[in-house]
Amino acid sequence: MKKVLVLLLALTLIVSLCACGATKVVDVNPTVSSDGAAAIRADFEKAKAFVEANIDMKNMEAQDQDQEDPSYLYQYWFAQDAPNAEFSLDAELDGQTVTVGKTTVKELKELSFELSTDQKVIEPDVSTGLSLSKGDKICNITLANNDTGKELPIDEGVLSEVDMIGNEFGISYAYSGLKDQSSFKDVIDKLGAPNSEVKISSDDSGVSIELSYFNSTQDGDKTSDKSLTVYFGYDTTNNAASVRQINLAITQS
């Protein structure tokens, strides 16, 4: 009888442990929470409504895509026959005005900026990414592709891209008076509706909005493609967006 009781107790203990083990598996590897996915979807829809209320979307065609992971959503609007915006790629770096596509490394040095390189030349068919600094402040830049067919002294390199990620991270940087923390309304009032692309994305890290402006110009046999992209962080609680990054770029072909 005692042996039977021991066997029954052992069997009960094994069944209990298996049940606990099964519960642990569910806890450790949960499926995507429907509540979490719904919250992200709601944030995405709020940002979508915010953009639609603040931008004239009549010349744009929306395109949605949901990934397998329901926690990641995004929506693009592509401009349809919208006129190219006319804008000059002048930026203000730490109080000094520079023009993307014209300002050289030599001129940047004359404005007391330092480059994070000892490089003396730019090799043929190479574009060079660098950091630009003044004191303890840093900004990322790119020099235009060297299409001269020979080595180019780096001082003759032309600024082709400037990337600002918030004043707290680098050099004070403004474009047409717009800067880190400028409002969505500030950007639309200053630049108008984007003529190239609008993107809204939402994931576990929050909601973001991206506005793209694009302008193509012809100079002889060369085409210059200028682009301005403004990135916003979207505050779902206050239904407001503010600039967190600005990128200016020019390419020639």
Side-chain angles (χ1 to χ4, degrees):
M1 185 68 181
K2 284 184 178 179
K3 286 184 178 180
V4 172
L5 284 173
V6 169
L7 287 171
L8 286 173
L9 285 170
L11 183 60
T12 303
L13 181 60
I14 289 169
V15 170
S16 298
L17 287 172
C18 288
C20 290
T23 302
K24 281 185 178 180
V25 169
V26 172
D27 286 343
V28 172
N29 299 299
T31 56
V32 176
S33 165
S34 58
D35 291 341
I40 289 170
R41 166 71 73 174
D43 286 349
F44 177 84
E45 293 298 335
K46 284 175 68 178
K48 177 180 170 183
F50 176 79
V51 169
E52 290 176 330
N54 284 276
I55 296 180
D56 181 359
M57 308 298 291
K58 68 178 181 292
N59 288 322
M60 295 193 173
E61 180 179 319
Q63 185 176 87
D64 274 310
Q65 181 170 343
D66 294 353
Q67 301 275 321
E68 289 181 8
D69 179 0
S71 69
Y72 182 79
L73 306 168
Y74 63 88
Q75 176 157 342
Y76 286 100
W77 281 275
F78 294 99
Q80 300 295 313
D81 302 319
N84 281 335
E86 294 295 335
F87 56 88
S88 170
L89 292 181
D90 285 339
E92 186 178 280
L93 287 173
D94 210 40
Q96 305 286 344
T97 300
V98 298
T99 300
V100 177
K102 291 186 178 179
T103 303
T104 64
V105 169
K106 180 182 178 183
E107 290 168 326
L108 291 170
K109 288 180 177 178
E110 288 172 352
L111 294 172
S112 300
F113 291 107
E114 295 181 6
L115 275 69
S116 61
T117 182
D118 294 325
Q119 187 177 338
K120 302 297 183 185
V121 298
I122 306 171
E123 297 296 331
D125 300 317
V126 170
S127 60
T128 307
L130 305 164
S131 292
L132 193 68
S133 64
K134 185 177 280 189
D136 60 354
K137 295 182 288 186
I138 298 174
C139 183
N140 296 324
I141 65 169
T142 303
L143 303 182
N145 183 63
N146 175 13
D147 59 3
T148 64
K150 57 184 180 181
E151 288 186 346
L152 182 72
I154 196 166
D155 278 5
E156 294 179 23
V158 176
L159 183 63
S160 67
E161 187 170 323
V162 187
D163 190 9
M164 179 279 284
I165 308 178
N167 291 342
E168 68 271 28
F169 297 111
I171 290 171
S172 176
Y173 170 26
Y175 174 74
S176 292
L178 303 172
K179 54 187 178 180
D180 182 46
Q181 297 303 312
S182 287
S183 71
F184 194 89
K185 185 177 185 301
D186 291 338
V187 174
I188 299 303
D189 286 350
K190 192 75 175 180
L191 303 175
N195 69 326
S196 178
E197 179 181 294
V198 181
K199 175 184 175 183
I200 295 177
S201 60
S202 180
D203 57 26
D204 292 328
S205 64
V207 181
S208 62
I209 299 169
E210 179 181 321
L211 306 186
S212 295
Y213 297 84
F214 180 83
N215 178 225
S216 183
T217 57
Q218 194 75 29
D219 182 12
D221 60 351
K222 283 194 173 183
T223 300
S224 295
D225 295 328
K226 303 176 182 180
S227 65
L228 166 67
T229 309
V230 185
Y231 303 87
F232 298 84
Y234 176 67
D235 182 344
T236 55
T237 303
N238 297 315
N239 193 36
S242 59
V243 173
R244 70 180 183 198
Q245 183 174 344
I246 299 174
N247 180 270
L248 297 173
I250 185 168
T251 57
Q252 290 189 330
S253 58

mmCIF file of all heavy atoms in Angstrom, residues 35-57:
data_model
loop_
_atom_site.group_PDB
_atom_site.id
_atom_site.type_symbol
_atom_site.label_atom_id
_atom_site.label_comp_id
_atom_site.label_asym_id
_atom_site.label_seq_id
_atom_site.Cartn_x
_atom_site.Cartn_y
_atom_site.Cartn_z
ATOM 1 N N ASP A 35 -3.611 43.413 -27.440
ATOM 2 C CA ASP A 35 -3.775 44.735 -26.823
ATOM 3 C C ASP A 35 -2.640 45.660 -27.253
ATOM 4 O O ASP A 35 -2.847 46.822 -27.594
ATOM 5 C CB ASP A 35 -3.790 44.622 -25.294
ATOM 6 C CG ASP A 35 -5.045 43.936 -24.784
ATOM 7 O OD1 ASP A 35 -6.030 43.882 -25.549
ATOM 8 O OD2 ASP A 35 -5.026 43.444 -23.646
ATOM 9 N N GLY A 36 -1.389 45.148 -27.251
ATOM 10 C CA GLY A 36 -0.244 45.954 -27.652
ATOM 11 C C GLY A 36 -0.333 46.359 -29.114
ATOM 12 O O GLY A 36 -0.070 47.508 -29.478
ATOM 13 N N ALA A 37 -0.722 45.408 -29.969
ATOM 14 C CA ALA A 37 -0.856 45.709 -31.392
ATOM 15 C C ALA A 37 -1.945 46.740 -31.622
ATOM 16 O O ALA A 37 -1.804 47.639 -32.448
ATOM 17 C CB ALA A 37 -1.161 44.426 -32.172
ATOM 18 N N ALA A 38 -3.023 46.631 -30.868
ATOM 19 C CA ALA A 38 -4.128 47.586 -31.016
ATOM 20 C C ALA A 38 -3.695 48.989 -30.605
ATOM 21 O O ALA A 38 -4.074 49.976 -31.234
ATOM 22 C CB ALA A 38 -5.321 47.130 -30.171
ATOM 23 N N ALA A 39 -2.870 49.080 -29.542
ATOM 24 C CA ALA A 39 -2.395 50.392 -29.083
ATOM 25 C C ALA A 39 -1.495 51.027 -30.133
ATOM 26 O O ALA A 39 -1.593 52.228 -30.413
ATOM 27 C CB ALA A 39 -1.644 50.236 -27.756
ATOM 28 N N ILE A 40 -0.622 50.216 -30.737
ATOM 29 C CA ILE A 40 0.265 50.740 -31.768
ATOM 30 C C ILE A 40 -0.542 51.167 -32.987
ATOM 31 O O ILE A 40 -0.290 52.202 -33.596
ATOM 32 C CB ILE A 40 1.323 49.683 -32.140
ATOM 33 C CG1 ILE A 40 2.309 49.528 -30.975
ATOM 34 C CG2 ILE A 40 2.075 50.062 -33.396
ATOM 35 C CD1 ILE A 40 3.242 48.362 -31.101
ATOM 36 N N ARG A 41 -1.517 50.355 -33.357
ATOM 37 C CA ARG A 41 -2.394 50.716 -34.477
ATOM 38 C C ARG A 41 -3.110 52.038 -34.184
ATOM 39 O O ARG A 41 -3.218 52.902 -35.064
ATOM 40 C CB ARG A 41 -3.411 49.594 -34.707
ATOM 41 C CG ARG A 41 -4.581 49.969 -35.600
ATOM 42 C CD ARG A 41 -4.186 50.143 -37.033
ATOM 43 N NE ARG A 41 -3.899 48.897 -37.698
ATOM 44 C CZ ARG A 41 -3.633 48.802 -38.993
ATOM 45 N NH1 ARG A 41 -3.596 49.890 -39.747
ATOM 46 N NH2 ARG A 41 -3.362 47.640 -39.535
ATOM 47 N N ALA A 42 -3.564 52.222 -32.957
ATOM 48 C CA ALA A 42 -4.268 53.456 -32.589
ATOM 49 C C ALA A 42 -3.336 54.660 -32.696
ATOM 50 O O ALA A 42 -3.728 55.717 -33.197
ATOM 51 C CB ALA A 42 -4.829 53.337 -31.175
ATOM 52 N N ASP A 43 -2.079 54.505 -32.231
ATOM 53 C CA ASP A 43 -1.103 55.598 -32.345
ATOM 54 C C ASP A 43 -0.840 55.937 -33.811
ATOM 55 O O ASP A 43 -0.748 57.104 -34.194
ATOM 56 C CB ASP A 43 0.225 55.197 -31.680
ATOM 57 C CG ASP A 43 0.136 55.203 -30.164
ATOM 58 O OD1 ASP A 43 -0.876 55.707 -29.646
ATOM 59 O OD2 ASP A 43 1.069 54.703 -29.520
ATOM 60 N N PHE A 44 -0.715 54.902 -34.620
ATOM 61 C CA PHE A 44 -0.476 55.083 -36.049
ATOM 62 C C PHE A 44 -1.641 55.835 -36.691
ATOM 63 O O PHE A 44 -1.448 56.774 -37.474
ATOM 64 C CB PHE A 44 -0.304 53.711 -36.696
ATOM 65 C CG PHE A 44 -0.121 53.749 -38.191
ATOM 66 C CD1 PHE A 44 1.126 53.961 -38.743
ATOM 67 C CD2 PHE A 44 -1.189 53.561 -39.043
ATOM 68 C CE1 PHE A 44 1.310 53.985 -40.115
ATOM 69 C CE2 PHE A 44 -1.026 53.583 -40.418
ATOM 70 C CZ PHE A 44 0.217 53.790 -40.953
ATOM 71 N N GLU A 45 -2.867 55.442 -36.356
ATOM 72 C CA GLU A 45 -4.046 56.089 -36.936
ATOM 73 C C GLU A 45 -4.150 57.550 -36.500
ATOM 74 O O GLU A 45 -4.575 58.413 -37.269
ATOM 75 C CB GLU A 45 -5.320 55.321 -36.540
ATOM 76 C CG GLU A 45 -5.425 53.929 -37.147
ATOM 77 C CD GLU A 45 -5.488 53.947 -38.667
ATOM 78 O OE1 GLU A 45 -5.910 54.966 -39.248
ATOM 79 O OE2 GLU A 45 -5.103 52.934 -39.289
ATOM 80 N N LYS A 46 -3.758 57.838 -35.260
ATOM 81 C CA LYS A 46 -3.771 59.231 -34.784
ATOM 82 C C LYS A 46 -2.777 60.079 -35.566
ATOM 83 O O LYS A 46 -3.081 61.201 -35.971
ATOM 84 C CB LYS A 46 -3.434 59.283 -33.282
ATOM 85 C CG LYS A 46 -4.571 58.851 -32.369
ATOM 86 C CD LYS A 46 -4.135 58.799 -30.917
ATOM 87 C CE LYS A 46 -3.839 60.169 -30.359
ATOM 88 N NZ LYS A 46 -3.461 60.118 -28.924
ATOM 89 N N ALA A 47 -1.578 59.527 -35.783
ATOM 90 C CA ALA A 47 -0.572 60.263 -36.550
ATOM 91 C C ALA A 47 -1.030 60.456 -37.988
ATOM 92 O O ALA A 47 -0.838 61.516 -38.583
ATOM 93 C CB ALA A 47 0.756 59.511 -36.513
ATOM 94 N N LYS A 48 -1.661 59.440 -38.549
ATOM 95 C CA LYS A 48 -2.178 59.512 -39.920
ATOM 96 C C LYS A 48 -3.219 60.624 -40.036
ATOM 97 O O LYS A 48 -3.180 61.445 -40.958
ATOM 98 C CB LYS A 48 -2.783 58.163 -40.297
ATOM 99 C CG LYS A 48 -3.435 58.108 -41.663
ATOM 100 C CD LYS A 48 -4.000 56.707 -41.889
ATOM 101 C CE LYS A 48 -4.868 56.676 -43.132
ATOM 102 N NZ LYS A 48 -5.481 55.348 -43.345
ATOM 103 N N ALA A 49 -4.150 60.668 -39.067
ATOM 104 C CA ALA A 49 -5.183 61.708 -39.075
ATOM 105 C C ALA A 49 -4.563 63.092 -38.910
ATOM 106 O O ALA A 49 -4.996 64.068 -39.534
ATOM 107 C CB ALA A 49 -6.192 61.439 -37.962
ATOM 108 N N PHE A 50 -3.518 63.167 -38.079
ATOM 109 C CA PHE A 50 -2.832 64.442 -37.840
ATOM 110 C C PHE A 50 -2.207 64.968 -39.133
ATOM 111 O O PHE A 50 -2.353 66.139 -39.487
ATOM 112 C CB PHE A 50 -1.754 64.221 -36.775
ATOM 113 C CG PHE A 50 -0.890 65.429 -36.500
ATOM 114 C CD1 PHE A 50 -1.345 66.465 -35.707
ATOM 115 C CD2 PHE A 50 0.393 65.514 -37.031
ATOM 116 C CE1 PHE A 50 -0.532 67.578 -35.453
ATOM 117 C CE2 PHE A 50 1.207 66.604 -36.781
ATOM 118 C CZ PHE A 50 0.733 67.637 -35.986
ATOM 119 N N VAL A 51 -1.530 64.095 -39.877
ATOM 120 C CA VAL A 51 -0.905 64.497 -41.136
ATOM 121 C C VAL A 51 -1.968 64.904 -42.152
ATOM 122 O O VAL A 51 -1.849 65.929 -42.821
ATOM 123 C CB VAL A 51 -0.038 63.348 -41.699
ATOM 124 C CG1 VAL A 51 0.407 63.650 -43.120
ATOM 125 C CG2 VAL A 51 1.183 63.134 -40.813
ATOM 126 N N GLU A 52 -3.014 64.121 -42.267
ATOM 127 C CA GLU A 52 -4.061 64.416 -43.248
ATOM 128 C C GLU A 52 -4.741 65.748 -42.954
ATOM 129 O O GLU A 52 -5.187 66.447 -43.865
ATOM 130 C CB GLU A 52 -5.082 63.280 -43.269
ATOM 131 C CG GLU A 52 -4.513 62.004 -43.884
ATOM 132 C CD GLU A 52 -5.484 60.835 -43.822
ATOM 133 O OE1 GLU A 52 -6.297 60.797 -42.887
ATOM 134 O OE2 GLU A 52 -5.409 59.967 -44.706
ATOM 135 N N ALA A 53 -4.807 66.103 -41.668
ATOM 136 C CA ALA A 53 -5.452 67.362 -41.286
ATOM 137 C C ALA A 53 -4.541 68.566 -41.528
ATOM 138 O O ALA A 53 -5.016 69.694 -41.624
ATOM 139 C CB ALA A 53 -5.857 67.313 -39.815
ATOM 140 N N ASN A 54 -3.241 68.321 -41.617
ATOM 141 C CA ASN A 54 -2.292 69.434 -41.708
ATOM 142 C C ASN A 54 -1.630 69.589 -43.074
ATOM 143 O O ASN A 54 -0.927 70.574 -43.300
ATOM 144 C CB ASN A 54 -1.202 69.271 -40.641
ATOM 145 C CG ASN A 54 -1.699 69.631 -39.256
ATOM 146 O OD1 ASN A 54 -1.709 70.788 -38.867
ATOM 147 N ND2 ASN A 54 -2.148 68.632 -38.520
ATOM 148 N N ILE A 55 -1.804 68.625 -43.966
ATOM 149 C CA ILE A 55 -1.191 68.691 -45.284
ATOM 150 C C ILE A 55 -2.264 68.512 -46.348
ATOM 151 O O ILE A 55 -3.160 67.681 -46.202
ATOM 152 C CB ILE A 55 -0.127 67.594 -45.462
ATOM 153 C CG1 ILE A 55 1.032 67.800 -44.487
ATOM 154 C CG2 ILE A 55 0.421 67.584 -46.882
ATOM 155 C CD1 ILE A 55 2.122 66.758 -44.616
ATOM 156 N N ASP A 56 -2.159 69.301 -47.397
ATOM 157 C CA ASP A 56 -3.053 69.125 -48.537
ATOM 158 C C ASP A 56 -2.605 67.882 -49.301
ATOM 159 O O ASP A 56 -1.566 67.874 -49.955
ATOM 160 C CB ASP A 56 -2.976 70.363 -49.446
ATOM 161 C CG ASP A 56 -3.900 70.257 -50.642
ATOM 162 O OD1 ASP A 56 -4.587 69.222 -50.766
ATOM 163 O OD2 ASP A 56 -3.935 71.198 -51.452
ATOM 164 N N MET A 57 -3.394 66.808 -49.199
ATOM 165 C CA MET A 57 -2.992 65.523 -49.754
ATOM 166 C C MET A 57 -3.568 65.259 -51.145
ATOM 167 O O MET A 57 -3.434 64.160 -51.670
ATOM 168 C CB MET A 57 -3.441 64.390 -48.809
ATOM 169 C CG MET A 57 -3.021 64.562 -47.360
ATOM 170 S SD MET A 57 -1.243 64.607 -47.120
ATOM 171 C CE MET A 57 -0.816 62.923 -47.504
#
